[in-house]
Short mmCIF file of all heavy atoms in Angstrom, two decimals:
data_model
loop_
_atom_site.label_atom_id
_atom_site.label_comp_id
_atom_site.label_asym_id
_atom_site.label_seq_id
_atom_site.Cartn_x
_atom_site.Cartn_y
_atom_site.Cartn_z
N LEU A 540 138.19 -3.74 17.12
CA LEU A 540 137.46 -4.85 16.53
C LEU A 540 136.06 -4.88 17.13
O LEU A 540 135.91 -4.94 18.35
CB LEU A 540 138.17 -6.17 16.78
CG LEU A 540 139.63 -6.25 16.33
CD1 LEU A 540 140.25 -7.57 16.76
CD2 LEU A 540 139.73 -6.08 14.81
N VAL A 541 135.03 -4.83 16.28
CA VAL A 541 133.64 -4.82 16.71
C VAL A 541 132.95 -6.03 16.13
O VAL A 541 132.88 -6.19 14.91
CB VAL A 541 132.93 -3.53 16.29
CG1 VAL A 541 131.47 -3.55 16.75
CG2 VAL A 541 133.64 -2.31 16.86
N GLU A 542 132.42 -6.89 17.00
CA GLU A 542 131.81 -8.15 16.60
C GLU A 542 130.29 -8.04 16.57
O GLU A 542 129.69 -7.25 17.31
CB GLU A 542 132.22 -9.27 17.55
CG GLU A 542 133.72 -9.48 17.61
CD GLU A 542 134.14 -10.39 18.73
OE1 GLU A 542 133.39 -10.48 19.73
OE2 GLU A 542 135.22 -11.00 18.63
N SER A 543 129.67 -8.87 15.74
CA SER A 543 128.23 -8.98 15.68
C SER A 543 127.86 -10.35 15.14
O SER A 543 128.69 -11.05 14.58
CB SER A 543 127.62 -7.88 14.81
OG SER A 543 128.08 -7.97 13.48
N GLY A 544 126.60 -10.74 15.31
CA GLY A 544 126.09 -11.96 14.73
C GLY A 544 125.85 -13.11 15.68
O GLY A 544 125.29 -14.13 15.29
N GLY A 545 126.26 -12.97 16.94
CA GLY A 545 126.02 -14.03 17.90
C GLY A 545 124.55 -14.16 18.24
O GLY A 545 123.74 -13.28 17.97
N GLY A 546 124.20 -15.29 18.85
CA GLY A 546 122.83 -15.54 19.23
C GLY A 546 122.61 -17.00 19.53
O GLY A 546 123.55 -17.75 19.77
N SER A 547 121.35 -17.40 19.54
CA SER A 547 120.94 -18.77 19.83
C SER A 547 120.41 -19.44 18.58
O SER A 547 119.71 -18.82 17.78
CB SER A 547 119.87 -18.79 20.92
OG SER A 547 120.35 -18.24 22.14
N VAL A 548 120.74 -20.71 18.42
CA VAL A 548 120.32 -21.48 17.26
C VAL A 548 120.17 -22.94 17.67
O VAL A 548 120.82 -23.40 18.61
CB VAL A 548 121.34 -21.33 16.11
CG1 VAL A 548 122.68 -21.94 16.48
CG2 VAL A 548 120.81 -21.92 14.81
N GLN A 549 119.30 -23.66 16.98
CA GLN A 549 119.14 -25.07 17.25
C GLN A 549 120.23 -25.88 16.57
O GLN A 549 120.83 -25.45 15.58
CB GLN A 549 117.77 -25.55 16.77
CG GLN A 549 116.60 -24.97 17.54
CD GLN A 549 115.27 -25.57 17.13
OE1 GLN A 549 115.20 -26.54 16.37
NE2 GLN A 549 114.19 -25.00 17.63
N ALA A 550 120.51 -27.05 17.12
CA ALA A 550 121.51 -27.94 16.53
C ALA A 550 121.20 -28.20 15.06
O ALA A 550 120.05 -28.41 14.68
CB ALA A 550 121.58 -29.25 17.30
N GLY A 551 122.25 -28.16 14.24
CA GLY A 551 122.10 -28.31 12.81
C GLY A 551 121.92 -27.01 12.06
O GLY A 551 121.99 -27.00 10.83
N GLY A 552 121.72 -25.92 12.78
CA GLY A 552 121.52 -24.63 12.16
C GLY A 552 122.81 -23.93 11.82
O GLY A 552 123.91 -24.48 11.98
N SER A 553 122.68 -22.68 11.38
CA SER A 553 123.82 -21.89 10.92
C SER A 553 123.78 -20.49 11.50
O SER A 553 122.72 -19.95 11.80
CB SER A 553 123.82 -21.80 9.39
OG SER A 553 123.89 -23.08 8.78
N LEU A 554 124.96 -19.89 11.64
CA LEU A 554 125.12 -18.51 12.03
C LEU A 554 126.30 -17.92 11.28
O LEU A 554 127.24 -18.64 10.94
CB LEU A 554 125.37 -18.37 13.54
CG LEU A 554 124.19 -18.53 14.51
CD1 LEU A 554 124.71 -18.50 15.94
CD2 LEU A 554 123.16 -17.44 14.29
N ARG A 555 126.26 -16.62 11.06
CA ARG A 555 127.40 -15.88 10.52
C ARG A 555 127.84 -14.84 11.54
O ARG A 555 127.04 -13.97 11.92
CB ARG A 555 127.08 -15.20 9.20
CG ARG A 555 128.11 -14.13 8.80
CD ARG A 555 127.90 -13.56 7.40
NE ARG A 555 128.69 -14.31 6.43
CZ ARG A 555 129.03 -13.83 5.23
NH1 ARG A 555 128.61 -12.63 4.84
NH2 ARG A 555 129.74 -14.58 4.40
N LEU A 556 129.09 -14.91 11.97
CA LEU A 556 129.68 -13.91 12.83
C LEU A 556 130.49 -12.93 11.99
O LEU A 556 131.15 -13.33 11.02
CB LEU A 556 130.59 -14.55 13.87
CG LEU A 556 129.98 -15.63 14.77
CD1 LEU A 556 131.00 -16.10 15.80
CD2 LEU A 556 128.71 -15.13 15.45
N SER A 557 130.43 -11.65 12.35
CA SER A 557 131.18 -10.61 11.65
C SER A 557 132.06 -9.87 12.64
O SER A 557 131.71 -9.69 13.79
CB SER A 557 130.22 -9.61 10.98
OG SER A 557 129.38 -10.25 10.05
N CYS A 558 133.22 -9.43 12.16
CA CYS A 558 134.14 -8.63 12.97
C CYS A 558 134.67 -7.51 12.09
O CYS A 558 135.43 -7.77 11.15
CB CYS A 558 135.27 -9.48 13.52
SG CYS A 558 136.44 -8.57 14.56
N ALA A 559 134.27 -6.28 12.39
CA ALA A 559 134.70 -5.12 11.63
C ALA A 559 135.88 -4.46 12.31
O ALA A 559 135.83 -4.16 13.51
CB ALA A 559 133.54 -4.13 11.48
N ALA A 560 136.94 -4.22 11.55
CA ALA A 560 138.15 -3.58 12.06
C ALA A 560 138.17 -2.12 11.66
O ALA A 560 137.81 -1.75 10.54
CB ALA A 560 139.40 -4.29 11.53
N SER A 561 138.60 -1.27 12.58
CA SER A 561 138.74 0.16 12.32
C SER A 561 140.03 0.67 12.93
O SER A 561 140.71 -0.04 13.67
CB SER A 561 137.54 0.94 12.86
OG SER A 561 137.43 0.79 14.27
N GLY A 562 140.37 1.92 12.62
CA GLY A 562 141.63 2.47 13.06
C GLY A 562 142.75 2.06 12.12
O GLY A 562 142.57 2.02 10.90
N TYR A 563 143.89 1.73 12.69
CA TYR A 563 145.03 1.30 11.89
C TYR A 563 144.80 -0.12 11.39
O TYR A 563 144.71 -1.06 12.19
CB TYR A 563 146.31 1.37 12.72
CG TYR A 563 147.55 0.95 11.97
CD1 TYR A 563 148.15 1.79 11.05
CD2 TYR A 563 148.12 -0.30 12.19
CE1 TYR A 563 149.28 1.41 10.36
CE2 TYR A 563 149.24 -0.70 11.51
CZ TYR A 563 149.83 0.16 10.59
OH TYR A 563 150.96 -0.23 9.91
N THR A 564 144.69 -0.29 10.08
CA THR A 564 144.40 -1.59 9.51
C THR A 564 145.51 -2.12 8.62
O THR A 564 145.37 -3.20 8.04
CB THR A 564 143.09 -1.55 8.69
OG1 THR A 564 143.19 -0.56 7.67
CG2 THR A 564 141.91 -1.22 9.60
N ALA A 565 146.59 -1.39 8.48
CA ALA A 565 147.72 -1.83 7.68
C ALA A 565 148.61 -2.77 8.49
O ALA A 565 148.57 -2.81 9.72
CB ALA A 565 148.52 -0.64 7.17
N SER A 566 149.42 -3.53 7.77
CA SER A 566 150.43 -4.41 8.36
C SER A 566 149.85 -5.43 9.34
O SER A 566 150.45 -5.73 10.37
CB SER A 566 151.52 -3.59 9.05
OG SER A 566 152.17 -2.73 8.13
N ARG A 567 148.68 -5.97 9.04
CA ARG A 567 148.10 -7.04 9.84
C ARG A 567 148.58 -8.38 9.30
O ARG A 567 148.50 -8.64 8.11
CB ARG A 567 146.57 -6.97 9.83
CG ARG A 567 146.00 -5.82 10.64
CD ARG A 567 144.50 -5.86 10.68
NE ARG A 567 143.94 -5.61 9.35
CZ ARG A 567 142.64 -5.62 9.07
NH1 ARG A 567 141.76 -5.86 10.04
NH2 ARG A 567 142.22 -5.38 7.84
N TYR A 568 149.06 -9.22 10.20
CA TYR A 568 149.61 -10.51 9.81
C TYR A 568 148.65 -11.66 10.00
O TYR A 568 148.71 -12.65 9.26
CB TYR A 568 150.92 -10.76 10.55
CG TYR A 568 152.05 -9.90 10.04
CD1 TYR A 568 152.23 -8.60 10.50
CD2 TYR A 568 152.93 -10.39 9.08
CE1 TYR A 568 153.25 -7.81 10.01
CE2 TYR A 568 153.95 -9.60 8.59
CZ TYR A 568 154.10 -8.31 9.06
OH TYR A 568 155.12 -7.52 8.56
N CYS A 569 147.76 -11.57 11.00
CA CYS A 569 146.79 -12.63 11.26
C CYS A 569 145.44 -12.03 11.63
O CYS A 569 145.38 -11.03 12.35
CB CYS A 569 147.21 -13.53 12.42
SG CYS A 569 148.92 -14.11 12.40
N MET A 570 144.37 -12.64 11.15
CA MET A 570 143.03 -12.40 11.64
C MET A 570 142.47 -13.75 12.05
O MET A 570 142.45 -14.67 11.24
CB MET A 570 142.15 -11.74 10.59
CG MET A 570 142.50 -10.30 10.28
SD MET A 570 142.25 -9.18 11.71
CE MET A 570 140.49 -9.38 12.00
N GLY A 571 142.02 -13.86 13.30
CA GLY A 571 141.59 -15.15 13.81
C GLY A 571 140.26 -15.09 14.55
O GLY A 571 139.80 -14.03 14.97
N TRP A 572 139.65 -16.27 14.67
CA TRP A 572 138.48 -16.48 15.52
C TRP A 572 138.84 -17.50 16.59
O TRP A 572 139.42 -18.55 16.29
CB TRP A 572 137.29 -16.99 14.71
CG TRP A 572 136.61 -15.94 13.88
CD1 TRP A 572 136.79 -15.70 12.55
CD2 TRP A 572 135.64 -14.99 14.33
NE1 TRP A 572 135.99 -14.66 12.14
CE2 TRP A 572 135.28 -14.21 13.21
CE3 TRP A 572 135.04 -14.73 15.57
CZ2 TRP A 572 134.34 -13.18 13.30
CZ3 TRP A 572 134.12 -13.70 15.66
CH2 TRP A 572 133.78 -12.94 14.52
N PHE A 573 138.50 -17.17 17.84
CA PHE A 573 138.70 -18.04 18.98
C PHE A 573 137.38 -18.23 19.70
O PHE A 573 136.44 -17.46 19.50
CB PHE A 573 139.74 -17.44 19.94
CG PHE A 573 141.14 -17.38 19.40
CD1 PHE A 573 141.49 -16.43 18.46
CD2 PHE A 573 142.10 -18.28 19.83
CE1 PHE A 573 142.78 -16.36 17.96
CE2 PHE A 573 143.40 -18.22 19.34
CZ PHE A 573 143.73 -17.27 18.40
N ARG A 574 137.31 -19.24 20.55
CA ARG A 574 136.12 -19.43 21.37
C ARG A 574 136.52 -19.94 22.75
O ARG A 574 137.56 -20.57 22.92
CB ARG A 574 135.13 -20.39 20.71
CG ARG A 574 135.59 -21.84 20.62
CD ARG A 574 134.58 -22.66 19.84
NE ARG A 574 134.95 -24.07 19.76
CZ ARG A 574 134.30 -24.98 19.04
NH1 ARG A 574 133.24 -24.61 18.32
NH2 ARG A 574 134.70 -26.24 19.03
N GLN A 575 135.66 -19.65 23.73
CA GLN A 575 135.91 -20.06 25.10
C GLN A 575 134.60 -20.46 25.77
O GLN A 575 133.68 -19.66 25.87
CB GLN A 575 136.58 -18.94 25.90
CG GLN A 575 137.02 -19.35 27.29
CD GLN A 575 137.93 -18.32 27.93
OE1 GLN A 575 137.94 -17.15 27.54
NE2 GLN A 575 138.72 -18.75 28.90
N ALA A 576 134.53 -21.71 26.20
CA ALA A 576 133.40 -22.21 26.96
C ALA A 576 133.70 -22.06 28.45
O ALA A 576 134.86 -21.98 28.86
CB ALA A 576 133.14 -23.67 26.62
N PRO A 577 132.67 -22.02 29.31
CA PRO A 577 132.90 -21.86 30.74
C PRO A 577 133.83 -22.92 31.30
O PRO A 577 133.67 -24.12 31.04
CB PRO A 577 131.50 -21.98 31.34
CG PRO A 577 130.59 -21.54 30.24
CD PRO A 577 131.24 -22.04 28.98
N GLY A 578 134.84 -22.49 32.07
CA GLY A 578 135.78 -23.40 32.69
C GLY A 578 136.82 -23.97 31.77
O GLY A 578 137.60 -24.83 32.20
N LYS A 579 136.88 -23.53 30.52
CA LYS A 579 137.83 -24.06 29.57
C LYS A 579 138.73 -22.96 29.02
O LYS A 579 138.42 -21.78 29.13
CB LYS A 579 137.11 -24.77 28.41
CG LYS A 579 136.31 -26.00 28.84
CD LYS A 579 135.74 -26.74 27.65
CE LYS A 579 135.02 -28.00 28.09
NZ LYS A 579 134.47 -28.74 26.93
N GLU A 580 139.85 -23.37 28.43
CA GLU A 580 140.78 -22.43 27.83
C GLU A 580 140.22 -21.87 26.53
O GLU A 580 139.44 -22.53 25.84
CB GLU A 580 142.13 -23.10 27.57
CG GLU A 580 142.85 -23.58 28.82
CD GLU A 580 143.32 -22.43 29.67
OE1 GLU A 580 143.77 -21.41 29.11
OE2 GLU A 580 143.24 -22.54 30.91
N ARG A 581 140.64 -20.65 26.21
CA ARG A 581 140.28 -20.07 24.93
C ARG A 581 141.04 -20.80 23.83
O ARG A 581 142.27 -20.92 23.88
CB ARG A 581 140.59 -18.58 24.91
CG ARG A 581 140.05 -17.83 23.72
CD ARG A 581 140.25 -16.33 23.87
NE ARG A 581 139.60 -15.81 25.06
CZ ARG A 581 139.54 -14.52 25.38
NH1 ARG A 581 140.09 -13.62 24.59
NH2 ARG A 581 138.93 -14.15 26.50
N GLU A 582 140.33 -21.29 22.82
CA GLU A 582 140.94 -22.09 21.78
C GLU A 582 140.75 -21.45 20.41
O GLU A 582 139.75 -20.79 20.14
CB GLU A 582 140.37 -23.51 21.78
CG GLU A 582 138.90 -23.58 21.42
CD GLU A 582 138.37 -25.00 21.29
OE1 GLU A 582 139.19 -25.95 21.32
OE2 GLU A 582 137.14 -25.17 21.15
N ARG A 583 141.73 -21.68 19.55
CA ARG A 583 141.64 -21.19 18.18
C ARG A 583 140.61 -21.99 17.40
O ARG A 583 140.60 -23.22 17.46
CB ARG A 583 143.00 -21.28 17.51
CG ARG A 583 143.06 -20.68 16.10
CD ARG A 583 144.39 -20.98 15.42
NE ARG A 583 144.56 -22.41 15.23
CZ ARG A 583 144.16 -23.07 14.15
NH1 ARG A 583 143.57 -22.42 13.14
NH2 ARG A 583 144.35 -24.37 14.06
N VAL A 584 139.78 -21.28 16.66
CA VAL A 584 138.80 -21.90 15.78
C VAL A 584 139.28 -21.86 14.33
O VAL A 584 139.25 -22.87 13.62
CB VAL A 584 137.43 -21.20 15.91
CG1 VAL A 584 136.44 -21.75 14.88
CG2 VAL A 584 136.89 -21.37 17.32
#
């Protein structure tokens, strides 16, 4: 999984994150986005 699109933006703005999958791509049951802030647990988005 290769991610792109992160960066800095002002409040109220927009961003698009992309995640390209390669290799074995069959039989996938879930594709998810998670996030983790410093000192906090990784949470499902």
Side-chain angles (χ1 to χ4, degrees):
L540 305 175
V541 180
E542 301 169 335
S543 61
S547 298
V548 65
Q549 294 186 9
S553 301
L554 284 174
R555 165 173 267 200
L556 305 183
S557 301
C558 181
S561 61
Y563 180 77
T564 57
S566 300
R567 288 184 293 178
Y568 287 84
C569 313
M570 290 295 299
W572 285 99
F573 293 75
R574 68 185 182 186
Q575 187 168 21
K579 296 186 177 181
E580 297 292 321
R581 190 173 301 185
E582 65 175 352
R583 185 188 64 89
V584 174

